Amino acid sequence: MKQTLPQSFAQKINSLIAAFASKSFRYASISSRKFLRHTYLESIKPAYKSDLAGVFILLLLPFLAAAQLQETFSDGNFTHNPTWSGDAGSFTINPQNQLQSAGPAVTGTILQLTTPSQAAVGTTWEFWANLRLATSASNYTDVYLISDKQDLKAPDVNGYFVRIGNTADEVSLYRKDAGKAAVMLINGQDKTVATSNNVVRVRVTRSIHHEWELSIDVSGTGQSYMSQGTATDATHKRSLYFGVLLRYTSANSQRFYFDDFSITDTQPPVLEELQTVNPQELILRFNEPLQPEQAQRITNYTLNGSINPIVAEFTGEATVRLVFGQSFSTGTNELRINNLQDLYGNSLATPILSSFSFIPPAVLPGYNELLITEIMADENPAVGLPAQEYIELYNPTSKVLRLQGIRYSDATSTAILPDVQLLPKEYAVVVPNSQVQQFSQFGKVIGISNFPSLNNSGELLQLRQPNGSLIYAVNYADTWYKDNAKREGGWSLEMIDVTNPCAGIENWTASTDPRGGTPAQPNAAATFNPDNTPPILLDAITTSPDRVILRFNERLDSTQAASITHYSISPSINIASVQVQGPLFTEVILILASPLQERQLYTLTAQSITDCAGNRSQPLTATFALPSAPAPGDVVINEILFNPRPGGVDFVELVNRSDKYINLKGWQLANVSNDSVSNLRSITAAPYVLAPGQYVVLTSNPENITANYPASREETLLRMSSLPSYPDDAGTVVVVQSDGKVADRFSYEERMHFELLDDVNGISLERVRLEGPSTASNFHSAATTVFATPGYKNSQSQVGVQAQRVFEISPKVFSPDGDGYEDFATINYRTDKTGLVANITVFDAQGREIRKLVRNELLEANGFFRWDGLREDGAKANIGYYIFYIELFGLNGEKSEFREKVVVGGRF
């Protein structure tokens, strides 16, 4: 029959229940339970024990829930709930439900027993021990609060333990690092365990800030704890096991007793570290293990107020990886963390707000990722800046750029940039080392030891990676100023729109800042200036039978432009490969599968060509032909302006009068000094193919020519750095082929101009007949209606007349008024004899001699003489009839006479 508890004992139990319900009870639960068990359970009848055990379990349930380890050995074993492992055969549970050592009676024995435990921070450890022996260096116990190894005997254990005993007979806290001797963190009071029956209750707390406190109660009840000291140590933040380690001599093998192990964590997880892995990824490390389900919920993380990650990966017991769909903001970002729990159910009471600064890792810039946005090429006279050449660099990306080793070059020299970083959207000015202090007031300054000197007129500047890969190139020119006054010095060139880096003159201009420039600062000229127009194919030329060069007006998408599918040639020739020429990517070389034929005109079609800004073209076409070897006289001087207007410049016009296509690359323009060809100037270093009948105008300033002669053909103007000197009174123009032969030569004098002109400044001399010789008789002043005809048909051009008789006049009526229409008459001749000499005299209708036109001229087989309508005294002949009296003399003294009529007309 079941027995009932005595009423007096039931009252005591009720009283104890009330005590358990009070908030002040806290950690006294274990010691009170031990007090109950030893005081009451052991004194009552065995029949009541089973009923009372159920009562104790009910009383302790709330405290068991709060504790992460609660081991009282009341179940009589240590094999489950929880499971202990190690030297299990050397321990036992004694009749008092205590863990007791039972190892071999051998001096130097070391025993260990562990159970899983991940609590490490914000935790309280508590246990009861009784060492019924005199502690010494050979008799003590280490209770491991934290261990990363299951085998506590292993030399590579990391963790913390409480040592009871040892030579000072104390209770102390130690840290154990793998492979090293233990380090004492808290040195407990000596002689606290100095008897042969040492009862002690130990409590260790570790705050979330890694502040440790060691307390002991030598009464064993847990009611009289005394602090042994504090320490701060964060070396080990993770745990896998809790356990005991014993060392003893043979007589003490069964004298270690343990009970009431309790590990309690009531603190929510704390974010210890936030690490940026890349611009879109974070690693979060917490002070303790997390509940995986909450840790992987993306809604628990919010970046900068509104952005949730696309991935929240629980990568370890206390580590979370977050991946976002967009990059972090450069500078300060804020991460908000909600609802996380640790393994023991402790939740965040308030969100964690963690600010972090993101500066992307520095990388070498790629193509167009580092720009030259300002160029001070002509620093004198200084306007408001130090009188020093400089370039300005700009980082248009969201990356941090590493400039170390980048090569900055002009046409003749290269400088290496130092170990400097450029933040996103940051500017920096590059100057010689000696000028760094002078420019520091403006912003970031980069000093280099061998600053390449900048040409005032312009040149190609490049930025390349250490391995030579192109970053950026700009081929500036002084025409980019678009302001003649600022062009003279003291003003920088500024890029207008930094988002349009591929553009040339249309995206650069003179600075508008009163100082003359804006080094290391946003440009004064900055404004929105996008490129919305597709590329234009300027021309196609050949340099060899199997190569065609295409030139475009702007930079291309080099990858897209390298595809063979965009190009075709008619008559059909297969294209073997395509090369896009850097660093400006405005030229494309087509490598042909079979050779081109001379004197054959081809048509190139380029389709869907994309520029650097992404604009795609409609089909583009250009004609070309394979150049032939030139012969002297194929390309001749067709027009020369040697006496320009004030402020004007000279020009020389050439024309290809052959049926060949002739490449002017390597040709030179010269004059004559001391009867020798001298002062040679390169016409062009690039291929420039002149088609049959095509004109080219050589000048140092094409813009000046178009300003003075609006009808000039801009596409025929070819800029030379300078022309040889051609004086106003007289000189000689010489054209030299690439093979060194003289293509043509013309000696001029100012008096060759039509004598009735009041002012010859700005009026060119033009070739009259294309096939005629480069002599004075075949040149005439340009019509006063145009003054010059650069790039198109001469105003005084005359088609050759094939004489049907020995002499023939054309036109028979002319008007020498300089209007460009029949301003002179030509006396054309044809003879089948050689060695004939001619005299030509002009008579008026009354038979009066007015002009000796030709005297003792040796005739060619075909040719002409010209009369400009002027008398011997330089006056204009009156309107009316005139007679050309022509005398021919042969080698043997024979003589022939001819009379031809001509009419001088005029306006009425």
Side-chain angles (χ1 to χ4, degrees):
M1 183 177 200
K2 187 176 181 179
Q3 299 187 34
T4 305
L5 290 172
Q7 184 175 2
S8 61
F9 191 76
Q11 290 174 345
K12 292 182 180 180
I13 293 300
N14 289 334
S15 173
L16 187 59
I17 290 173
F20 267 79
S22 70
K23 293 182 180 180
S24 61
F25 202 84
R26 297 185 69 198
Y27 297 111
S29 58
I30 299 171
S31 59
S32 296
R33 180 179 60 76
K34 296 296 288 186
F35 172 74
L36 279 172
R37 187 175 67 192
H38 291 294
T39 306
Y40 292 100
L41 277 179
E42 301 303 323
S43 62
I44 63 174
K45 297 178 181 180
Y48 299 144
K49 287 186 178 180
S50 60
D51 292 332
L52 206 52
V55 174
F56 287 127
I57 291 173
L58 290 174
L59 287 174
L60 294 173
L61 276 177
F63 301 98
L64 291 173
Q68 281 67 62
L69 175 68
Q70 188 72 48
E71 176 63 283
T72 64
F73 305 105
S74 298
D75 56 3
N77 69 75
F78 55 86
T79 57
H80 60 277
N81 295 329
T83 300
W84 295 75
S85 59
D87 298 316
S90 296
F91 289 90
T92 186
I93 305 300
N94 63 24
Q96 289 74 38
N97 290 333
Q98 298 167 336
L99 180 68
Q100 181 179 348
S101 61
V106 178
T107 297
T109 298
I110 303 175
L111 304 178
Q112 62 100 20
L113 206 61
T114 58
T115 188
S117 171
Q118 295 187 49
V121 181
T123 301
T124 297
W125 294 266
E126 191 173 3
F127 60 90
W128 176 90
N130 184 4
L131 276 62
R132 298 178 183 177
L133 52 86
T135 66
S136 67
S138 300
N139 294 278
Y140 61 86
T141 183
D142 293 338
V143 178
Y144 270 84
L145 313 177
I146 292 173
S147 173
D148 65 343
K149 298 290 187 299
Q150 187 175 21
D151 182 4
L152 302 180
K153 303 175 189 177
D156 59 344
V157 170
N158 289 292
Y160 298 91
F161 62 83
V162 173
R163 176 166 291 175
I164 303 175
N166 213 339
T167 56
D169 299 325
E170 63 190 12
V171 180
S172 299
L173 178 67
Y174 288 78
R175 185 187 77 232
K176 178 66 173 65
D177 302 328
K180 297 181 181 180
V183 176
M184 181 183 290
L185 299 180
I186 300 176
N187 185 3
Q189 182 179 346
D190 293 352
K191 304 304 181 181
T192 52
V193 286
T195 69
S196 59
N197 186 22
N198 300 295
V199 175
V200 64
R201 186 170 292 275
V202 178
R203 183 173 69 199
V204 180
T205 60
R206 186 188 196 184
S207 75
I208 59 175
H209 303 297
H210 309 287
E211 298 161 338
W212 296 83
E213 183 175 14
L214 170 65
S215 300
I216 64 173
D217 179 0
V218 294
S219 71
T221 64
Q223 302 298 314
S224 304
Y225 276 115
M226 295 180 60
S227 177
Q228 300 298 291
T230 61
T232 299
D233 190 281
T235 305
H236 306 306
K237 301 176 182 179
R238 300 288 178 265
S239 179
L240 293 176
Y241 298 95
F242 172 89
V244 295
L245 181 74
L246 317 180
R247 181 185 294 271
Y248 58 81
T249 56
S250 59
N252 298 321
S253 62
Q254 299 181 23
R255 296 184 179 182
F256 293 84
Y257 299 80
F258 301 94
D259 203 355
D260 298 337
F261 290 115
S262 172
I263 304 175
T264 306
D265 178 356
T266 60
Q267 298 295 319
V270 173
L271 178 65
E272 287 193 328
E273 182 183 4
L274 183 152
Q275 177 187 355
T276 56
V277 178
N278 58 50
Q280 294 176 253
E281 185 175 341
L282 295 176
I283 295 295
L284 309 182
R285 293 185 176 87
F286 293 85
N287 69 324
E288 60 178 322
L290 304 175
Q291 290 281 7
E293 181 181 357
Q294 292 294 331
Q296 296 184 106
R297 186 169 296 170
I298 62 174
T299 55
N300 286 345
Y301 311 93
T302 307
L303 177 67
N304 296 334
S306 60
I307 306 167
N308 296 119
I310 57 176
V311 173
E313 180 185 0
F314 186 55
T315 61
E317 56 192 27
T319 305
V320 178
R321 171 177 170 261
L322 302 180
V323 180
F324 293 85
Q326 63 189 75
S327 296
F328 306 131
S329 300
T330 299
T332 302
N333 296 261
E334 184 177 71
L335 181 69
R336 181 186 179 94
I337 305 172
N338 292 288
N339 303 324
L340 296 191
Q341 294 181 349
D342 63 17
L343 286 178
Y344 316 116
N346 300 306
S347 300
L348 297 176
T350 58
I352 297 174
L353 298 177
S354 179
S355 294
F356 64 96
S357 179
F358 177 70
I359 302 297
V363 296
L364 276 174
Y367 180 63
N368 277 353
E369 291 187 338
L370 179 65
L371 309 178
I372 297 174
T373 52
E374 188 171 349
I375 302 168
M376 177 66 84
D378 187 356
E379 73 277 18
N380 289 309
V383 176
L385 297 172
Q388 171 59 49
E389 295 178 350
Y390 65 78
I391 64 166
E392 176 185 80
L393 302 180
Y394 173 66
N395 176 3
T397 74
S398 59
K399 309 173 185 177
V400 176
L401 301 182
R402 186 176 76 252
L403 306 188
Q404 184 178 18
I406 288 177
R407 293 150 48 183
Y408 159 51
S409 305
D410 67 359
T412 59
S413 61
T414 297
I416 306 299
L417 298 186
D419 187 8
V420 176
Q421 292 186 357
L422 206 59
L423 298 179
K425 309 300 185 275
E426 186 177 22
Y427 293 85
V429 60
V430 181
V431 296
N433 284 329
S434 61
Q435 294 294 314
V436 170
Q437 190 61 37
Q438 294 291 325
F439 281 83
S440 59
Q441 60 183 304
F442 304 113
K444 191 165 193 170
V445 186
I446 300 172
I448 54 179
S449 58
N450 55 331
F451 186 91
S453 179
L454 300 172
N455 294 342
N456 293 353
S457 60
E459 62 180 321
L460 175 66
L461 304 179
Q462 300 183 62
L463 298 172
R464 291 184 178 271
Q465 292 182 352
N467 65 4
S469 297
L470 180 67
I471 298 173
Y472 181 70
V474 58
N475 193 17
Y476 74 94
D478 57 4
T479 56
W480 290 15
Y481 285 97
K482 304 163 191 170
D483 185 316
N484 287 334
K486 292 182 177 180
R487 183 176 178 175
E488 295 305 314
W491 298 85
S492 71
L493 282 171
E494 292 186 340
M495 184 183 285
I496 297 171
D497 187 348
V498 297
T499 67
N500 183 18
C502 295
I505 187 173
E506 64 274 12
N507 196 40
W508 287 77
T509 192
S511 177
T512 58
D513 191 280
R515 300 169 298 179
T518 54
Q521 299 168 4
N523 290 343
T527 189
F528 186 58
N529 186 35
D531 176 4
N532 296 318
T533 58
I536 296 171
L537 177 59
L538 299 176
D539 57 30
I541 55 178
T542 60
T543 57
S544 65
D546 64 346
R547 288 175 182 255
V548 180
I549 299 178
L550 312 183
R551 296 193 296 189
F552 293 83
N553 69 323
E554 61 176 323
R555 302 188 197 194
L556 305 180
D557 179 334
S558 59
T559 302
Q560 189 263 4
S563 173
I564 293 177
T565 59
H566 294 299
Y567 310 96
S568 62
I569 296 175
S570 178
S572 181
I573 291 185
N574 290 332
I575 300 170
S577 62
V578 178
Q579 300 172 358
V580 184
Q581 294 295 95
L584 298 179
F585 304 119
T586 58
E587 290 189 354
V588 175
I589 298 177
L590 306 182
I591 311 300
L592 307 182
S594 56
L596 300 167
Q597 302 301 311
E598 291 187 19
R599 293 178 171 84
Q600 168 68 59
L601 188 65
Y602 297 89
T603 299
L604 180 285
T605 301
Q607 301 191 53
S608 301
I609 302 300
T610 304
D611 65 16
C612 178
N615 302 302
R616 179 165 294 184
S617 73
Q618 297 296 318
L620 305 170
T621 61
T623 57
F624 66 94
L626 178 64
S628 300
D634 286 345
V635 175
V636 295
I637 299 161
N638 195 52
E639 186 176 359
I640 176 173
L641 179 69
F642 56 85
N643 50 349
R645 297 167 182 163
V649 295
D650 293 354
F651 74 76
V652 174
E653 180 187 75
L654 307 181
V655 64
N656 179 4
R657 65 182 185 180
S658 73
D659 63 350
K660 307 172 184 176
Y661 291 84
I662 297 175
N663 189 356
L664 298 184
K665 179 181 178 181
W667 285 42
Q668 295 173 302
L669 196 60
N671 60 18
V672 171
S673 176
N674 297 323
D675 296 326
S676 298
V677 176
S678 60
N679 299 309
L680 287 90
R681 302 282 192 275
S682 173
I683 291 176
T684 176
Y688 192 100
V689 176
L690 210 59
Q694 184 179 347
Y695 304 99
V696 62
V697 179
L698 310 178
T699 179
S700 63
N701 192 338
E703 295 77 18
N704 186 282
I705 299 301
T706 56
N708 281 285
Y709 305 99
S712 61
R713 303 294 187 263
E714 187 175 354
E715 66 274 13
T716 68
L717 304 181
L718 181 60
R719 185 189 303 275
M720 293 176 56
S721 58
S722 65
L723 268 64
S725 175
Y726 297 123
D728 289 357
D729 55 344
T732 301
V733 181
V734 183
V735 181
V736 181
Q737 298 174 170
S738 59
D739 58 8
K741 297 179 181 178
V742 173
D744 195 22
R745 175 179 179 145
F746 174 57
S747 296
Y748 66 88
E749 295 181 18
E750 187 177 23
R751 62 186 179 85
M752 290 180 183
H753 276 296
F754 185 47
E755 293 185 20
L756 296 183
L757 293 174
D758 294 329
D759 183 5
V760 298
N761 287 325
I763 297 178
S764 68
L765 283 178
E766 296 180 329
R767 178 181 287 269
V768 175
R769 290 191 180 175
L770 187 61
E771 297 305 323
S774 296
T775 59
S777 62
N778 196 29
F779 279 80
H780 192 279
S781 299
T784 55
T785 54
V786 292
F787 298 99
T789 55
Y792 61 101
K793 184 179 179 181
N794 291 347
S795 63
Q796 301 295 5
S797 175
Q798 186 184 83
V799 177
V801 175
Q802 183 66 41
Q804 300 302 313
R805 299 177 291 116
V806 177
F807 291 97
E808 192 166 312
I809 310 304
S810 177
K812 294 185 179 298
V813 179
F814 73 103
S815 54
D817 53 11
D819 66 353
Y821 178 72
E822 296 182 343
D823 284 338
F824 50 84
T826 56
I827 306 164
N828 304 284
Y829 63 86
R830 177 178 61 84
T831 177
D832 54 1
K833 295 182 179 181
T834 60
L836 296 178
V837 176
N839 290 328
I840 302 177
T841 306
V842 183
F843 293 89
D844 63 13
Q846 286 74 40
R848 292 172 294 191
E849 179 181 318
I850 67 166
R851 177 84 177 266
K852 288 182 172 62
L853 187 62
V854 174
R855 283 292 175 266
N856 300 320
E857 287 284 343
L858 181 64
L859 301 185
E860 300 178 79
N862 294 280
F864 71 96
F865 297 104
R866 176 173 53 85
W867 183 41
D868 55 12
L870 299 184
R871 300 166 60 92
E872 198 72 40
D873 60 3
K876 182 180 178 182
N878 294 327
I879 294 174
Y881 289 96
Y882 292 86
I883 298 296
F884 292 125
Y885 173 62
I886 307 170
E887 299 174 289
L888 280 183
F889 302 94
L891 292 175
N892 298 319
E894 66 268 29
K895 177 181 178 182
S896 301
E897 295 182 355
F898 302 87
R899 290 174 176 81
E900 301 291 340
K901 184 186 292 185
V902 69
V903 177
V904 174
R907 296 178 182 176
F908 295 94

